[in-house]
Amino acid sequence: MGVPLAMETLSDRVSFMKESLQKSQTITDNMVSILGSFDHRLSALETAMRPTQIRTHSIRRAHENIDKTLKAADVILGQFDLSRQAEVKILRGPHEDLESYLEAVDQLRSNIRFFSSNKSFKSSDGVLNHANNLLAKAISKLEEEFRQLLTSYSKPVEPDRLFDCLPNSLRPSGSPGQGKNLSSTNHSEHPNKSLETAIYTPPTLIPPRVLPLLHDLAQQMVQAGHQQQLFKIYRETRATVLEQSLRKLGVEKLSKDDVQKMQWEVLEAKIGNWIHFMRIAVKLLFAGEWKICDHIFEGNDSLKDQCFAEVTVNSVAMLLSFGDAIAKSKRSPEKLFVLLDMYEIMCELQSEIQTIFAGKACTEMRESAVTLTKRLAQTAQETFGDFEEAVEKDATKTAVLDGTVHPLTSYVINYVKFLFDYQSTLKQLFQEFEKMGETNSQLALVTIRIMQALQTNLDGKSKQYRDPALTQLFLMNNIHYMVRSVRRSEAKDLLGDDWVQIHRRIVQQHANQYKRVSWGKILQTLSVQNMSSSGGGSGMGGDGSGSSGVSRAVVKDRFKTFNLQFEELHQRQSQWTVPDSELRESLRLAVAEVLLPAYRSFIKRFGFVFLTEEKFLLLFSCLVLKVNL
């Protein structure tokens, strides 16, 4: 019973499951049928809705297009509005509000770019033509404004303003005026090396507040393609003002012929002024011009260089032409120092010239400055060489009758002293042209040659004297002057102690020769040698007054001869001079050391004298005082 019941239960469950499965299948079939039907309906609905969807999309696109068109119209209308605002400002002109005017010009340019890129706009051509015409008028007004603004603030710089910009040591003590020397110093008072580090303050050529406006105007003109007009206005205005500033200062254009016709004193003053003009021009005026060029044409280097070159070219040429005329003029010894001064100032300014005139447009000016520097160096070196030859061949007939220092000697010694103020410059010249050895030894060699040339010339001049004693006195005085001057100057360090000692011995040799030639004959009259008796009865031996065998007549004749020679020597040498007190005293003692012992000995030997020792000493004293021995 249990099994059948279980089977029955299992059978019931199987039957239930079958029914369930059949119902599920039926539901599935019904759902598939319903979904199929729905799909057909959706397809039909989509087909029915497609025209509506298309119309809706078209409407949406139309709205988008309308929005874009309205926005474009707003932009165009905005551009028209900005154009009208810009036009009002431009027609009003730049005088009232230059900055606003420049903004209007920028806006007009922006409008032109806008309409140029929107050619589809029906009236764009007309708008562009109107805008371009308006821009042309605006630039024309800007050009005139630039000219007016630059001209009104471009004034020549008065000399006093320039002097105030110089270091104190270079400022003139009074108003120099045309042709006057700007400095109390000249080439004999060599400039202090501290000038190399002196501070120069370039003057304000155009007020700083105006420079930005000029810069903006210049930029507008360049953008409009008016670069050449801008260049012309700037060049004409600033070049004229710069030249006027230099003329007020005293700069003048002089040719080689003008220089040749001038007296040396006038030319020397003009050279001194030119040296100061070069400093003022380069360190103040040209430096100032470069600054305003740099501000106004910032961002346009080629235009900046071109404008600066054109503004300064005439002024530079005017300054350098004078230096060139001096360098090419006839050489003479007195020109050496001014040539060295000119060479020094060109060397001093060379680095600044290279910096200020660094642009390609300024190449010719840079090269002209370098050429002048080299030409001055060459002329100075040739003049230096001429001097040595001129000293040796000096043929002046001027004779110093008293045997004192010849003008040529003092001139040459002063010349050599001045040379030592230019040691560094001369060394630079030797280095540049000779390319050999130690420059100190070269300078010493040249100086020795000059001294030797002077000695050679003095030897020739000494032969003009008929009196051999005066010849020796003349040479003694002049060579002693050379030695003393060298010992008291820097030349001693350069020439050395050997040169000094050698020439001191030469001085002593001439002094000895003077003593021998001048006093030797008198000393012979006081010698007892060759004195013979003119009769035994008349001898002097018995009276104890002298040597036996020497007659009174012979002694008397000797004294007479001595007196005549002494008086003749006195008259002749009282016109001679020994200007150096030490040398004079030395020579007096040397003569006295020889003459007085001989005279005393003669008196002691022969007691009946006609000229006492006291009288002799008095005459000798008078002699040496008049002779200045």
Side-chain angles (χ1 to χ4, degrees):
M1 287 227 12
V3 174
L5 182 56
M7 289 293 294
E8 184 178 351
T9 301
L10 181 60
S11 176
D12 290 340
R13 288 182 179 176
V14 170
S15 297
F16 178 75
M17 289 178 66
K18 284 181 179 181
E19 288 177 3
S20 296
L21 286 171
Q22 287 176 354
K23 287 179 180 179
S24 177
Q25 183 64 44
T26 300
I27 292 169
T28 299
D29 291 340
N30 290 337
M31 286 298 295
V32 169
S33 177
I34 291 169
L35 288 173
S37 174
F38 186 68
D39 183 55
H40 288 301
R41 290 179 183 176
L42 284 175
S43 179
L45 181 60
E46 183 179 2
T47 301
M49 288 294 293
R50 187 170 291 117
T52 303
Q53 291 174 344
I54 293 173
R55 284 196 299 273
T56 302
H57 182 66
S58 298
I59 291 170
R60 186 166 59 252
R61 289 186 61 187
H63 277 293
E64 290 175 355
N65 289 335
I66 290 169
D67 288 341
K68 288 180 180 178
T69 303
L70 290 174
K71 289 179 181 178
D74 284 342
V75 172
I76 292 171
L77 290 173
Q79 290 294 323
F80 271 114
D81 186 46
L82 291 173
S83 292
R84 281 194 298 271
Q85 294 174 17
E87 184 172 2
V88 171
K89 293 180 181 179
I90 288 170
L91 293 176
R92 190 183 300 139
H95 300 296
E96 294 182 7
D97 187 351
L98 179 57
E99 292 185 16
S100 179
Y101 189 88
L102 293 173
E103 291 175 0
V105 172
D106 284 333
Q107 183 59 58
L108 188 59
R109 281 205 176 90
S110 176
N111 292 341
I112 291 172
R113 287 194 296 271
F114 173 80
F115 288 115
S116 296
S117 61
N118 289 276
K119 288 294 186 86
S120 59
F121 177 61
K122 184 184 289 186
S123 302
S124 60
D125 290 340
V127 171
L128 281 172
N129 288 336
H130 178 72
N132 281 319
N133 290 335
L134 186 61
L135 182 61
K137 291 178 182 179
I139 297 301
S140 178
K141 289 184 178 182
L142 284 180
E143 184 177 314
E144 187 57 36
E145 181 69 12
F146 183 84
R147 184 195 304 275
Q148 191 276 331
L149 196 61
L150 185 65
T151 302
S152 63
Y153 286 102
S154 293
K155 303 297 179 186
V157 185
E158 294 298 326
D160 286 344
R161 277 188 62 204
L162 291 171
F163 300 152
D164 288 341
C165 298
L166 293 172
N168 290 332
S169 57
L170 289 177
R171 293 180 187 178
S173 55
S175 300
Q178 185 78 12
K180 291 186 180 179
N181 200 328
L182 297 182
S183 176
S184 59
T185 62
N186 55 36
H187 66 266
S188 66
E189 296 172 348
H190 200 50
N192 195 303
K193 291 299 179 183
S194 63
L195 287 179
E196 295 176 0
T197 56
I199 297 175
Y200 296 78
T201 309
T204 301
L205 302 180
I206 292 179
R209 61 184 176 79
V210 180
L211 292 175
L213 298 178
L214 289 170
H215 170 263
D216 292 341
L217 287 168
Q219 274 194 323
Q220 293 288 355
M221 291 174 68
V222 170
Q223 289 178 27
H226 287 221
Q227 185 162 311
Q228 285 306 309
Q229 293 92 318
L230 170 64
F231 169 70
K232 183 180 179 183
I233 293 169
Y234 191 83
R235 177 191 63 197
E236 290 176 352
T237 304
R238 291 306 307 169
T240 301
V241 168
L242 178 58
E243 290 167 30
Q244 288 174 348
S245 297
L246 289 173
R247 279 196 292 272
K248 280 177 173 284
L249 190 62
V251 177
E252 49 189 336
K253 191 171 185 178
L254 297 173
S255 66
K256 180 182 175 183
D257 290 338
D258 296 329
V259 167
Q260 290 290 96
K261 293 174 185 176
M262 285 183 190
Q263 293 183 347
W264 168 241
E265 292 75 12
V266 176
L267 183 59
E268 186 180 26
K270 288 188 179 295
I271 292 171
N273 284 343
W274 179 84
I275 290 169
H276 292 283
F277 294 158
M278 285 299 299
R279 276 201 184 96
I280 291 171
V282 173
K283 292 180 177 287
L284 301 181
L285 289 173
F286 294 158
E289 286 294 339
W290 173 248
K291 281 187 177 181
I292 62 174
C293 250
D294 190 45
H295 277 95
I296 294 173
F297 302 107
E298 184 182 3
N300 193 332
D301 290 341
S302 61
L303 181 60
K304 180 196 307 180
D305 292 340
Q306 187 181 11
C307 284
F308 178 71
E310 289 294 325
V311 164
T312 55
V313 63
N314 289 338
S315 296
V316 170
M318 184 164 57
L319 285 163
L320 297 186
S321 65
F322 177 79
D324 200 54
I326 297 295
K328 291 179 179 177
S329 64
K330 185 178 179 180
R331 298 195 300 271
S332 60
E334 65 269 15
K335 286 184 181 177
L336 176 61
F337 301 106
V338 294
L339 286 167
L340 292 174
D341 287 335
M342 294 171 74
Y343 173 71
E344 282 184 348
I345 191 61
M346 291 304 298
C347 289
E348 176 188 329
L349 299 174
Q350 200 60 239
S351 62
E352 286 168 281
I353 290 173
Q354 294 295 320
T355 300
I356 295 172
F357 296 90
K360 186 177 180 180
C362 299
T363 301
E364 186 174 345
M365 284 180 277
R366 289 198 309 275
E367 291 177 350
S368 295
V370 171
T371 299
L372 174 58
T373 305
K374 291 182 177 179
R375 185 167 290 142
L376 288 168
Q378 182 70 39
T379 306
Q381 191 198 34
E382 291 170 355
T383 303
F384 196 49
D386 291 346
F387 179 68
E388 178 188 340
E389 183 178 356
V391 169
E392 186 170 357
K393 296 182 178 180
D394 177 73
T396 53
K397 299 300 182 182
T398 304
V400 285
L401 300 179
D402 60 356
T404 189
V405 177
H406 196 279
L408 176 66
T409 304
S410 58
Y411 176 74
V412 171
I413 293 301
N414 286 334
Y415 202 91
V416 170
K417 285 180 181 178
F418 287 149
L419 286 177
F420 285 93
D421 289 337
Y422 294 86
Q423 282 192 69
S424 60
T425 305
L426 289 169
K427 290 173 186 177
Q428 190 171 345
L429 285 177
F430 292 139
Q431 287 174 344
E432 186 167 352
F433 290 101
E434 307 216 1
K435 308 292 185 186
M436 55 179 286
E438 174 60 37
T439 54
N440 270 343
S441 62
Q442 291 179 50
L443 184 56
L445 181 62
V446 172
T447 306
I448 289 171
R449 289 206 307 260
I450 291 174
M451 293 295 202
Q452 185 57 53
L454 176 59
Q455 282 182 254
T456 301
N457 190 281
L458 290 172
D459 285 339
K461 282 181 168 49
S462 71
K463 292 178 173 59
Q464 297 175 2
Y465 300 108
R466 293 182 180 179
D467 191 328
L470 185 56
T471 295
Q472 297 301 322
L473 192 78
F474 171 78
L475 291 172
M476 177 195 72
N477 279 332
N478 281 270
I479 296 177
H480 176 76
Y481 182 82
M482 293 168 61
V483 172
R484 185 189 64 178
S485 299
V486 167
R487 289 176 62 195
R488 295 178 180 179
S489 70
E490 294 180 79
K492 181 182 179 182
D493 296 332
L494 199 63
L495 299 180
D497 287 332
D498 287 347
W499 186 94
V500 172
Q501 294 304 322
I502 289 170
H503 286 78
R504 287 183 71 178
R505 287 195 291 271
I506 293 173
V507 172
Q508 188 59 49
Q509 288 169 7
H510 288 300
N512 292 336
Q513 285 291 90
Y514 158 78
K515 184 173 64 176
R516 182 184 64 79
V517 172
S518 186
W519 299 95
K521 193 174 181 181
I522 288 183
L523 284 171
Q524 287 179 5
T525 65
L526 299 176
S527 172
V528 296
Q529 294 179 2
N530 301 322
M531 291 181 70
S532 60
S533 173
S534 57
S538 60
M540 298 172 58
D543 61 12
S545 61
S547 299
S548 60
V550 180
S551 70
R552 184 182 183 90
V554 171
V555 173
K556 184 178 179 180
D557 185 63
R558 284 291 182 96
F559 270 109
K560 182 179 179 181
T561 302
F562 175 84
N563 287 337
L564 288 173
Q565 290 182 354
F566 191 88
E567 184 63 29
E568 180 188 351
L569 194 66
H570 175 271
Q571 290 178 356
R572 187 168 66 250
Q573 293 198 12
S574 64
Q575 306 301 317
W576 299 356
T577 302
V578 177
D580 184 78
S581 59
E582 291 183 8
L583 181 61
R584 187 166 62 244
E585 183 63 25
S586 171
L587 198 59
R588 177 190 289 119
L589 291 175
V591 173
E593 284 174 359
V594 174
L595 191 60
L596 290 179
Y599 189 78
R600 289 191 181 108
S601 175
F602 198 86
I603 291 175
K604 185 177 180 181
R605 195 175 190 90
F606 306 102
F608 56 95
V609 296
F610 298 92
L611 179 66
T612 65
E613 181 176 353
E614 289 75 16
K615 185 178 179 182
F616 168 74
L617 291 174
L618 179 62
L619 283 175
F620 180 74
S621 176
C622 292
L623 172 66
V624 297
L625 287 174
K626 288 183 179 180
V627 176
N628 291 324
L629 286 178

